[in-house]
């Protein structure tokens, strides 16, 4: 899938950051914004273009939590399990989502690529705990029942 | 337009104030992340269009005499529990839980007739609180840092300037020398609000004294602590104050470039900071020759990529340099060799926000707040099992009791207070029995009882919280976030987590408690960076103050709070069960069976004790014992 169009896009991103090795994280961030994940061939291409080792770019891409080497679903659900959410019972919400979508700790993207479920350490909306986000839109004061309803609404939109 | 000196700034501020005063009524709609989630943006649009429809002015033309109503998106008002929030000036009414349907009435009754809508106001113990300032949640606070948060349009520099913004920068750059500023900050006793509590003036003086001609100012906005959101609210609600603090810091130490490192999880903070930086550049308050002082300063925004350890100084600078965010051995310290190997001032968001206040009012005035070795105020994120969650600011030295029970309104649902966790994963759990609640909050007092202010997260826990499980929760966080560079942290957190998991699953022994304590002490004493050194705090503090609970887990094999799944069984009370089948449908392992309208039963061997059935049972027939 790393065709000429994408190559041009990646080149444009690298140029925008002046081909500066020190901007590596910003470059990967911008690339991930385009692809929603980091395909291996793109990482190799960036490393070669910037003249850094494959090991180094892999090291960076795996060190930081926001980078993903796996393709993600269209709707990214983040369940906050920060302290405030945890004490206000975030885990039953996560379990409800897993059950509804047939996912688990190991398999977090649905086969139809519609949903990816992740847990995050804190979204910073602790006053409204427990919270989840769907594509960065925050849903406050969640309950297992409300989250099922939300998922059904998204499914309805997707299959309309 | 360029503002070229102090006098120019004052006359510009007056001009802005005059034009803003033409807005005889102001509607401040909270656009902090919490209220946005409650739909405040739609409320903003609706109120704006309703006002326009009535032919009233929303945008004010400077050259004309016309008066109008100002409709603004503000930063976080702090009272997140009751959002979406709307403040209406000049009455200072605060409307809570506002819905789209309320907008029409707000416009017709309050904005046109000036009358309050009582049903939207704060009501407690049969008393109505009409103004924001009367509400106990606000009344008992001292809002210096949060002074503008919720009171101005965070995306409008005119409002900031009209309220005395950039005056501190002008005073510093036009009338003071670098050394003088370092002295004032030292005299004020300001200590780093990121958690460590190092004296800010001392840090600045050390950077100033370095010979290297290139220096940097770095603002740490990587608020990764679960349960903390004060830095975010400051960046979103009053971004210029942070920028001002950085400019003054740059001037005081001889740095011409500043970096703000913000978590990528905070997109709105990034956006508002960008807007603020561009506005300051346009007015000549940032960039080259600021206020004609000959001083140049630029600010760059760097987005984090999701690593908790990047809140640590040397890891943060490594991350800005495009490396893995791993801490290094110190010395050399950041003040000598920080960003790009140059001397660097690294302070957190709230620390910088304190700087303009100190410059404007002087160090003596600042020292009037707080205690002798802990001056000023501190912003805390009050969350968890407490009635009024939100963002609060109190003078250092305020007691936990005042914070949790007076400002926070106590524990909801008639539950009992059990503990408060302060300082995130680096902090500790404090409790009622040890008189911790009457402890005046400060860097020194908290350290003495094994907790720390940390970034200021304060999570209240009620009687239904299991402290062993809380320790496990924090350990799973630090274990996941350990960068892996040093063995004590990498291995120690992993082993501690394993032991805690063993205990919460019902397989712990007395020896495990001993081993847990030993590992915790070792990690605390030998880890490379702050993350590792403090990782054991939740374990050590719970072991010290909640040893009984650990004993109950390992000796009696019970979890007193009925949280730990391995130590309980779930049963259905046949007398209360109406046979609705909801529990069976919610069970992920098909452990529940029965026939409709007859009591259902749980197969104890299949049950994984997830509690999903308890949550869904409409008759409260399922219990964990």
């Amino acid at each position: 899938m790393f065709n000429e169009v994408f190559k041009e896009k990646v080149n444009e991103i690298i140029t925008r950051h002046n081909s500066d090795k020190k901007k590596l994280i910003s470059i990967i961030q911008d690339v991930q914004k385009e692809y929603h994940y980091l395909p291996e061939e793109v990482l190799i291409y960036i490393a070669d273009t910037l003249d850094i080792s494959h090991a180094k770019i892999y090291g960076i891409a795996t060190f930081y939590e926001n980078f993903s080497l796996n393709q993600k679903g269209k709707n990214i659900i983040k369940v906050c399990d920060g302290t405030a959410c945890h004490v206000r019972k975030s885990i039953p919400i996560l379990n409800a989502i897993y059950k509804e979508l047939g996912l688990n700790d190991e398999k977090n993207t649905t086969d139809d690529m519609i949903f990816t479920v992740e847990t995050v350490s804190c979204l910073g909306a602790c006053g409204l705990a427990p919270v989840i986000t769907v594509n960065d839109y925050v849903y406050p004061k969640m309950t297992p029942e409300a989250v099922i309803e939300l998922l059904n609404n998204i499914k309805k939109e997707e299959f309309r | 337009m360029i503002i070229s000196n102090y006098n120019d700034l004052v006359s510009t501020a007056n001009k802005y104030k005059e034009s803003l005063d033409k807005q005889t009524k102001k509607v401040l709609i909270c656009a902090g992340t919490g209220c946005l989630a409650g739909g405040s943006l739609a409320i903003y649009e609706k109120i704006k269009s309703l006002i326009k429809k009535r032919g009233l002015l929303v945008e004010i033309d400077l050259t004309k005499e016309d008066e109008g109503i100002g409709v603004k998106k503000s930063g976080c008002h702090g009272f997140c529990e009751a959002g979406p929030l709307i403040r209406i000036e000049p009455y200072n009414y605060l409307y809570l839980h506002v819905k789209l349907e309320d907008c029409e009435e707000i416009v017709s009754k309050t904005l046109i007739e000036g009358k309050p809508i009582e049903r939207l106001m704060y009501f407690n113990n049969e008393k109505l609180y009409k103004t924001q300032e009367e509400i106990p949640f606000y009344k008992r606070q001292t809002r210096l840092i949060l002074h503008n948060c919720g009171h101005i349009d965070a995306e409008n520099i005119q409002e900031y300037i009209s309220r005395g913004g950039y005056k501190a920068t002008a005073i510093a750059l036009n009338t003071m020398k670098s050394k003088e500023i370092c002295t004032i900050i030292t005299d004020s006793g300001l200590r780093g609000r990121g958690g460590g509590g190092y004296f800010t003036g001392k840090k600045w003086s050390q950077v100033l004294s370095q010979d290297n001609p290139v220096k940097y100012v770095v603002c740490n906005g990587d608020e990764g602590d679960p349960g903390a959101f004060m830095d975010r609210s400051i960046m979103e609600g009053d971004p210029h104050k942070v920028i001002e603090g950085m400019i003054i810091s740059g001037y005081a130490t001889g740095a011409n470039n500043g970096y703000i490192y913000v978590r990528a999880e905070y997109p709105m903070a990034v956006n508002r900071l960008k807007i603020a930086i561009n506005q300051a550049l346009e007015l000549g308050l940032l960039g080259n020759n600021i206020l004609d002082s000959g001083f140049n300063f630029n600010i760059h925004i760097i987005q984090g990529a999701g690593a908790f350890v990047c809140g640590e100084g040397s890891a943060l600078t490594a991350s800005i340099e495009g490396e893995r965010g791993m801490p290094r051995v110190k010395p050399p310290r950041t003040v000598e060799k920080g960003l790009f190997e140059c001397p660097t001032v690294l302070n957190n968001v709230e620390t910088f926000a304190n700087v303009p206040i100190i410059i404007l009012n002087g160090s003596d005035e600042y020292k009037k707040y707080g205690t002798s070795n802990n001056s000023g105020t501190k912003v805390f994120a009050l969350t968890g099992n407490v009635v009024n969650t939100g963002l609060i600011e109190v003078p250092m030295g305020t007691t936990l009791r005042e914070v949790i029970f007076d400002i926070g309104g106590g524990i909801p649902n008639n539950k009992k207070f059990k503990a408060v966790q302060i300082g995130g994963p680096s902090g500790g759990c404090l409790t009622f029995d040890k008189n911790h609640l009457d402890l005046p909050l400060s860097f020194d007092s908290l350290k003495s009882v094994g907790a720390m202010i940390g970034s200021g997260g304060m999570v209240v826990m009620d009687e239904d919280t299991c402290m062993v499980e809380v320790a496990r929760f924090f350990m799973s966080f630090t274990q996941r976030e350990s960068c892996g560079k040093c063995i004590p942290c990498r291995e120690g957190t992993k082993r501690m987590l394993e032991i805690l998991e063993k205990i919460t699953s019902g397989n712990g022994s007395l020896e495990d408690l001993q081993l847990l304590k030993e590992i915790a002490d070792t990690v605390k004493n030998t880890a490379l960076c702050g993350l590792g050194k403090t990782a054991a705090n939740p374990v050590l503090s719970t072991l010290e103050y909640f040893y009984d609970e650990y004993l109950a887990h390992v000796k009696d094999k019970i979890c007193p709070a009925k949280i730990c799944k391995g130590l309980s069984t779930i049963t259905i009370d046949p007398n209360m069960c109406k046979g609705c089948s909801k529990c069976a449908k919610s069970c992920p392992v098909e452990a529940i069976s029965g026939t409709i309208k007859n009591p259902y039963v749980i197969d104890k061997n299949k049950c994984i004790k997830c509690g999903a059935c308890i949550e869904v049972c409409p008759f409260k027939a399922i219990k964990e014992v």
Side-chain angles (χ1 to χ4, degrees):
Chain A
M1 71 170 281
F2 192 48
N3 58 26
E4 285 307 312
V5 180
F6 281 125
K7 199 173 268 181
E8 206 172 293
K9 192 86 213 170
V10 173
N11 281 335
E12 190 264 315
I13 290 169
I14 293 174
T15 320
R16 198 190 316 148
H17 292 286
N18 304 322
S19 304
D20 187 350
K21 286 177 201 179
K22 294 210 183 295
K23 301 270 175 70
L24 183 58
I25 293 172
S26 307
I27 291 171
I28 309 183
Q29 275 172 335
D30 288 354
V31 168
Q32 184 163 288
K33 250 180 228 157
E34 291 289 328
Y35 290 89
H36 304 294
Y37 81 112
L38 298 169
E40 192 181 337
E41 59 262 49
V42 177
L43 282 182
I44 291 172
Y45 180 77
I46 297 170
D48 292 345
T49 313
L50 292 177
D51 193 24
I52 52 180
S53 73
H54 295 179
K56 167 147 190 201
I57 199 162
Y58 182 76
I60 303 265
T62 52
F63 183 82
Y64 292 99
E65 209 174 291
N66 295 354
F67 296 134
S68 172
L69 302 183
N70 298 318
Q71 207 167 350
K72 288 188 185 182
K74 195 173 153 200
N75 297 288
I76 298 174
I77 303 173
K78 292 181 182 161
V79 180
C80 182
D81 193 29
T83 321
C85 290
H86 190 78
V87 303
R88 283 195 181 183
K89 313 260 183 286
S90 54
I91 295 299
I93 296 166
L94 178 69
N95 287 334
I97 300 174
Y98 276 162
K99 190 180 175 227
E100 180 69 20
L101 300 177
L103 299 173
N104 54 49
D105 286 342
E106 267 96 53
K107 177 181 163 41
N108 70 346
T109 298
T110 52
D111 291 332
D112 56 10
M113 300 305 285
I114 301 283
F115 293 102
T116 291
V117 182
E118 298 171 342
T119 54
V120 291
S121 299
C122 187
L123 290 164
C126 317
L128 304 163
V131 291
I132 69 161
T133 62
V134 179
N135 301 329
D136 289 335
Y137 188 87
V138 183
Y139 292 88
K141 296 184 182 169
M142 266 292 147
T143 61
E145 295 88 62
V147 86
I148 302 290
E149 200 183 316
L150 179 65
L151 290 177
N152 286 330
N153 287 340
I154 298 171
K155 281 186 200 159
K156 253 185 240 161
E157 281 293 309
E158 290 294 337
F159 299 114
R160 214 171 37 179
Chain B
M1 194 187 85
I2 296 286
I3 298 175
S4 51
N5 54 43
Y6 181 80
N7 291 338
D8 200 6
L9 179 77
V10 172
S11 67
T12 311
N14 288 338
K15 202 174 71 193
Y16 287 158
K17 194 171 179 306
E18 224 171 87
S19 86
L20 287 165
D21 281 349
K22 286 185 195 162
Q23 297 175 342
T24 51
K25 285 166 192 167
K26 287 179 196 140
V27 190
L28 291 145
I29 298 152
C30 181
T33 300
C35 286
L36 276 183
S40 67
L41 209 57
I43 293 169
Y44 166 80
E45 296 295 345
K46 177 127 191 223
I47 290 188
K48 209 167 163 176
S49 79
L50 285 170
I51 293 173
K52 272 189 187 157
K53 223 185 259 171
R54 286 170 181 265
L56 298 165
L57 284 174
V58 181
E59 280 91 20
I60 306 288
D61 186 346
L62 248 183
T63 54
K64 295 201 183 114
E65 294 292 308
D66 302 324
E67 293 186 340
I69 298 174
V71 187
K72 300 151 201 282
K73 279 183 277 186
S74 76
C76 178
H77 293 219
F79 200 7
C80 306
E81 184 74 45
L85 300 162
I86 292 184
R87 177 183 162 88
I88 297 178
E89 294 177 2
Y91 318 109
N92 302 345
Y93 296 153
L94 187 73
Y95 290 161
L96 322 168
H97 301 292
V98 178
K99 293 190 187 70
L100 217 48
E101 305 88 271
D102 301 321
C103 294
E104 187 79 48
E105 196 179 345
I106 291 173
V107 172
S108 63
K109 204 164 168 190
T110 308
L111 292 174
I112 309 277
E113 297 175 33
K115 287 180 188 155
I117 305 169
E118 293 186 356
R119 68 182 171 85
L120 293 175
M121 290 174 156
Y122 185 74
F123 208 79
N124 193 20
N125 286 337
E126 293 174 21
K127 186 175 174 349
L128 179 76
Y129 297 85
K130 278 193 179 173
T131 68
Q132 180 172 357
E133 286 70 15
E134 282 171 58
I135 300 174
F137 177 79
Y138 288 102
K139 200 176 175 183
R140 291 169 184 268
Q141 295 188 44
T142 307
R143 292 166 84 93
L144 300 182
I145 308 294
L146 302 177
H147 180 65
N148 283 334
C149 282
H151 290 255
I152 61 167
D153 179 346
E155 295 179 7
N156 186 343
I157 194 172
Q158 300 191 354
E159 295 210 11
Y160 183 70
I161 290 178
S162 72
R163 282 169 73 100
Y166 286 101
K167 245 187 187 171
T169 305
I171 292 170
L173 268 56
N174 289 148
T175 70
M176 296 166 90
K177 293 214 161 58
S178 294
K179 208 168 180 181
E180 234 176 295
I181 299 172
C182 289
T183 309
I184 288 190
I185 301 294
T186 305
D187 289 346
S188 74
L190 174 66
R191 296 173 71 168
R193 296 297 196 248
Y198 192 76
F199 286 92
T200 307
K202 208 167 161 185
K203 192 183 265 183
W204 289 17
S205 302
Q206 284 164 350
V207 174
L208 177 67
S209 67
Q210 302 291 321
D211 283 335
N212 198 323
V214 184
K215 292 168 185 173
Y216 292 100
V217 171
V218 176
C219 172
N220 183 350
D222 188 61
E223 190 172 48
D225 262 33
F229 56 103
M230 50 292 245
D231 288 349
R232 180 176 83 182
S233 297
I234 296 168
M235 290 187 280
E236 287 177 1
D238 202 3
H240 288 287
K241 200 174 259 155
V242 183
I243 293 172
E244 251 199 288
M246 289 179 72
I247 298 171
I248 295 167
S249 168
Y251 178 74
T253 57
N256 297 111
N257 277 293
Y259 284 82
I260 309 181
Y261 189 89
V262 194
R263 289 183 81 194
E265 284 84 347
Y266 289 177
M268 187 164 45
V270 172
N271 188 31
R272 293 234 168 110
L273 283 167
K274 275 185 188 159
I275 292 172
I277 288 171
N278 286 333
Q279 289 172 339
L281 280 169
E282 266 173 42
L283 294 179
L285 298 165
L286 205 57
N288 289 337
N289 192 19
I290 299 171
L291 293 158
D292 210 18
S293 64
F295 175 63
N296 306 333
F297 195 73
N298 282 300
I299 295 181
H300 317 269
I301 296 177
I302 300 281
Q303 283 196 46
F308 178 67
V309 68
C310 287
E312 198 272 348
S314 60
L316 188 151
T317 51
S319 181
I320 296 179
E321 292 165 13
E323 303 284 334
R324 281 187 184 202
M326 284 177 155
R328 59 168 172 75
V329 180
K330 281 165 269 182
R333 296 186 30 237
T334 316
V335 289
E336 295 149 357
K337 271 191 177 170
L339 188 61
F340 305 121
E341 303 268 291
C342 296
T344 301
V345 175
L346 200 153
N347 282 135
N348 116 309
V349 171
E350 194 182 328
T351 314
F352 282 119
N354 269 288
V355 171
I357 299 168
I358 296 169
I359 299 289
L360 265 183
N361 307 318
S363 53
D364 286 338
E365 181 63 32
Y366 185 79
K367 272 195 287 196
K368 284 183 187 161
Y369 299 96
T371 61
S372 64
N373 209 25
N374 296 268
S375 53
T377 57
K378 175 78 191 94
V379 184
F380 290 101
L382 185 62
T383 60
N385 303 126
V386 60
V387 174
N388 303 326
T389 60
L391 206 63
I392 63 154
E393 183 178 349
V394 288
M396 290 273 188
T398 307
T399 64
L400 271 170
R401 191 185 297 278
E402 289 170 77
V403 170
I404 297 169
F405 291 93
D406 297 342
I407 297 173
I411 315 301
N413 310 322
N414 293 321
K415 298 270 182 182
K416 277 197 206 110
F417 169 83
K418 182 167 200 174
V420 55
Q421 210 282 344
I422 304 179
S426 314
C429 296
L430 302 183
T431 169
F432 200 60
D433 308 339
K434 310 278 176 189
N435 295 331
H436 287 157
L437 285 192
D438 296 312
L439 200 72
L441 284 169
S442 73
F443 291 106
D444 304 324
S445 67
L446 284 178
K447 217 170 188 177
S448 69
V449 290
M452 61 190 280
I453 282 195
S455 59
M458 207 181 258
V459 185
V460 182
M461 295 162 184
D462 66 15
E463 57 189 303
D464 290 344
T465 317
C466 169
M467 300 315 288
V468 184
E469 154 61 21
V470 166
R472 187 210 59 79
F473 169 76
F474 280 112
M475 198 45 65
S476 95
F477 177 82
T478 25
Q479 187 269 327
R480 203 168 53 235
E481 294 293 342
S482 170
C483 82
K485 185 169 179 170
C486 77
I487 298 169
C489 179
R490 185 180 69 229
E491 292 297 320
T493 54
K494 179 105 183 137
R495 299 304 153 218
M496 281 193 278
L497 177 62
E498 280 170 5
I499 296 173
L500 288 163
E501 280 172 345
K502 197 175 158 195
I503 297 172
T504 53
S505 64
N507 301 314
S509 65
L510 269 175
E511 290 75 41
D512 286 327
L513 298 187
Q514 186 59 35
L515 184 61
L516 187 63
K517 171 91 169 60
E518 271 173 38
I519 302 177
D521 284 332
T522 310
V523 175
K524 191 183 173 104
N525 294 322
T526 57
L528 170 65
C529 79
L531 184 141
K533 281 188 182 124
T534 57
N537 282 353
V539 171
L540 288 168
S541 68
T542 48
L543 270 175
E544 184 170 355
Y545 303 127
F546 298 93
Y547 195 67
D548 289 352
E549 273 194 60
Y550 278 93
L551 279 184
H553 281 74
V554 298
K555 266 178 91 178
D556 310 332
K557 302 287 175 195
I558 52 163
C559 173
K562 299 190 180 65
I563 294 293
C564 297
K565 303 296 172 204
L567 295 157
S568 63
T569 45
I570 293 176
T571 53
I572 300 177
D573 184 341
N575 298 321
M576 290 168 84
C577 176
K578 301 261 194 294
C580 72
S581 86
K582 267 196 173 169
C583 55
K585 282 180 198 146
S586 77
C587 180
V589 291
E590 291 171 2
I592 305 179
S593 58
T595 43
I596 292 281
K597 291 190 181 162
N598 288 308
Y600 275 59
V601 284
I602 296 181
D603 182 341
K604 288 191 176 103
N605 298 324
K606 276 190 189 169
C607 174
I608 54 164
K609 298 164 188 170
C610 69
C613 50
I614 300 176
E615 297 283 332
V616 299
C617 178
F619 310 107
K620 301 205 184 322
I622 311 180
K623 287 195 178 68
E624 211 168 341
V625 284

